[in-house]
Amino acid sequence: MRKTLFAFAILASALSITLTAHADTIDDFVLTGNGETVTFSLPATGVYTLHQHFDSFSASGPGTIDGAPATVGATFYVPYFEIVQSAPDLTIDSNPQSNIPDLYGSIPYSWFVVPAEFPNPEDEGTFNVTFVPGTYQLQTGNTFFDHPFTPPLPFTLSITPETPIAPTPEPASLILLATGALGAITTLKRRKSMAP
């Protein structure tokens, strides 16, 4: 009887096994302002090359401009060596081209730099960044890096983690364990019926 209960316990555990969803590592970016909306997705934690030119790193991928498919590139400026104090915080470069100018404001992310052993003149090292989800207010600037806007135009940047996939049963493991449990039950029943 104890062996039969053990077999049923194995079967019950087999039916409760699920495939755990992998942690989602993608953040969705939505930038709106001046009648334009740009969307793109980036790894929530990424590894980039930190370029000496304004201490920036760039990432690109598929996105949309006002709902139309586009390749969107985002250049984020980092106060690392602070070569240029008045550099913008975000520049959007896309194909087809958007009308969004350089933007200034705070875009929170945690980061650390692994300096290159023999860096190229334009590179400062490997930049590891983790974006902080939230909604951030940006605006156009009025410096020699940008066209003057009076008053500055407001923009909103939303960073949202993509919704993780719900856990789903893993059919192969369930079938394998259930078959083994049923085989064990059948074997125990046969032994019991053959016992004198």
Side-chain angles (χ1 to χ4, degrees):
M1 182 68 176
R2 197 177 288 172
K3 291 182 179 178
T4 304
L5 289 175
F6 178 71
F8 277 118
I10 291 175
L11 180 60
S13 66
L15 295 175
S16 67
I17 292 177
T18 59
L19 176 64
T20 304
H22 294 291
D24 194 7
T25 58
I26 302 295
D27 282 343
D28 294 327
F29 293 72
V30 179
L31 179 63
T32 56
N34 198 26
E36 195 164 21
T37 299
V38 175
T39 68
F40 56 98
S41 297
L42 295 176
T45 298
V47 179
Y48 305 97
T49 298
L50 184 63
H51 300 290
Q52 189 176 27
H53 185 62
F54 300 152
D55 296 315
S56 63
F57 69 96
S58 299
S60 64
T64 65
I65 298 175
D66 294 331
T71 300
V72 178
T75 299
F76 298 87
Y77 296 85
V78 185
Y80 182 45
F81 292 130
E82 299 180 356
I83 292 175
V84 179
Q85 297 283 346
S86 56
D89 290 279
L90 175 64
T91 297
I92 297 294
D93 182 26
S94 60
N95 185 13
Q97 190 66 39
S98 75
N99 294 318
I100 295 180
D102 292 343
L103 298 175
Y104 299 79
S106 176
I107 306 172
Y109 43 77
S110 58
W111 57 273
F112 65 92
V113 177
V114 179
E117 234 177 284
F118 304 102
N120 294 325
E122 69 276 12
D123 295 340
E124 293 171 349
T126 302
F127 190 77
N128 298 265
V129 60
T130 300
F131 292 100
V132 177
T135 300
Y136 307 105
Q137 302 305 314
L138 305 173
Q139 65 182 23
T140 55
N142 192 2
T143 71
F144 66 92
F145 290 106
D146 202 359
H147 300 293
F149 291 92
T150 308
L153 296 175
F155 284 79
T156 300
L157 176 67
S158 295
I159 305 175
T160 310
E162 286 186 3
T163 306
I165 301 169
T168 55
E170 186 180 358
S173 294
L174 290 177
I175 291 170
L176 182 62
L177 287 172
T179 303
L182 289 174
I185 291 170
T186 304
T187 302
L188 289 174
K189 283 185 177 179
R190 283 186 183 168
R191 286 184 181 171
K192 191 172 182 181
S193 64
M194 294 175 70

